[in-house]
Amino acid sequence: MSVKTNELPQAAAMADSDSFVATTSQGTKRISLSLLKQIMGQIFAPAPVASTTVLYVNADSGSDSSDGKSAEHAKKTLAAALATLPKDLGGKSVTINLSGTFDELVNIQDFFHGDLTLQGDEGAHASFTNAGTIYSNDVLLTINNVDFSGTASSHVLIIRDNKSVVIENSVMDATAGGNGPMMRRNGY
């Protein structure tokens, strides 16, 4: 329904405290002010505040059959925690708290529309002893207090075609004879 601009003074004159009168192509309509406020509130509602999801993964004491929603019910592998997330994060921030030493291949791929943080313990960093890839993510990915080491035949970590990756307080160790981290943008 639209109000004709040349008829706004007439409509305003016809308004009272409970309703508003508008002239449309179908004639004159009386609209409840409470309904008008409700409609305007839906049209101009503020964007929802991004929420945060927190998951827990413990390589030493976790179980992939757990829900990962608390330290007491931690998943065992990063892969199991990532599998619980939709690829479209829906504008949410997701933090995965990591503890222990992981002997799994890291594969973080195709996440978008949100923030994803891998957070290790501050005192004893989480560590991955296998190579991994972080590929084609359209999220802000933060890795903090997480260490990576590779094998003699691999890169420590391959980071390729991501929107943004921040690595803080982490070590990439290639002393076992492997290659250091490889970072590429757009396949080059």
Side-chain angles (χ1 to χ4, degrees), residues 130-161:
N130 222 324
T133 59
I134 299 173
Y135 182 73
S136 193
N137 293 287
D138 192 15
V139 295
L140 169 60
L141 176 63
T142 303
I143 300 171
N144 190 22
N145 295 330
V146 181
D147 299 337
F148 296 88
S149 58
T151 62
S153 62
S154 68
H155 288 278
V156 172
L157 188 62
I158 299 171
I159 302 171
R160 182 174 166 192
D161 298 334

Side-chain angles (χ1 to χ4, degrees), residues 78-79 82 101-108 118 127-135 143 146-159 171-174 176-182:
L78 177 59
L82 291 170
T101 301
F102 296 85
D103 184 25
E104 69 173 289
L105 180 65
V106 176
N107 185 17
I108 303 171
L118 302 183
S127 63
F128 287 87
T129 59
N130 222 324
T133 59
I134 299 173
Y135 182 73
I143 300 171
V146 181
D147 299 337
F148 296 88
S149 58
T151 62
S153 62
S154 68
H155 288 278
V156 172
L157 188 62
I158 299 171
I159 302 171
V171 175
M172 306 287 174
D173 182 5
N179 297 310
M182 178 175 70

Side-chain angles (χ1 to χ4, degrees), residues 42-156:
Q42 290 174 356
I43 294 171
F44 297 106
V49 176
S51 60
T52 301
T53 298
V54 178
L55 296 173
Y56 295 84
V57 182
N58 188 314
D60 303 321
S61 63
S63 168
D64 283 344
S65 62
S66 296
D67 64 13
K69 294 181 181 179
S70 68
E72 296 77 27
H73 297 102
K75 296 274 188 193
K76 183 167 186 67
T77 63
L78 177 59
L82 291 170
T84 67
L85 299 173
K87 293 296 184 176
D88 179 355
L89 297 179
K92 292 183 179 181
S93 295
V94 177
T95 299
I96 301 176
N97 290 308
L98 302 166
S99 298
T101 301
F102 296 85
D103 184 25
E104 69 173 289
L105 180 65
V106 176
N107 185 17
I108 303 171
Q109 186 171 350
D110 297 330
F111 286 97
F112 62 97
H113 191 219
D115 299 336
L116 181 60
T117 300
L118 302 183
Q119 179 67 50
D121 292 333
E122 206 168 302
H125 290 198
S127 63
F128 287 87
T129 59
N130 222 324
T133 59
I134 299 173
Y135 182 73
S136 193
N137 293 287
D138 192 15
V139 295
L140 169 60
L141 176 63
T142 303
I143 300 171
N144 190 22
N145 295 330
V146 181
D147 299 337
F148 296 88
S149 58
T151 62
S153 62
S154 68
H155 288 278
V156 172

Side-chain angles (χ1 to χ4, degrees), residues 10-21 30-34 36:
Q10 288 176 338
M14 295 170 64
D16 60 34
S17 63
D18 297 318
S19 62
F20 180 82
V21 176
R30 184 174 293 274
I31 303 169
S32 157
L33 286 180
S34 62
L36 185 60

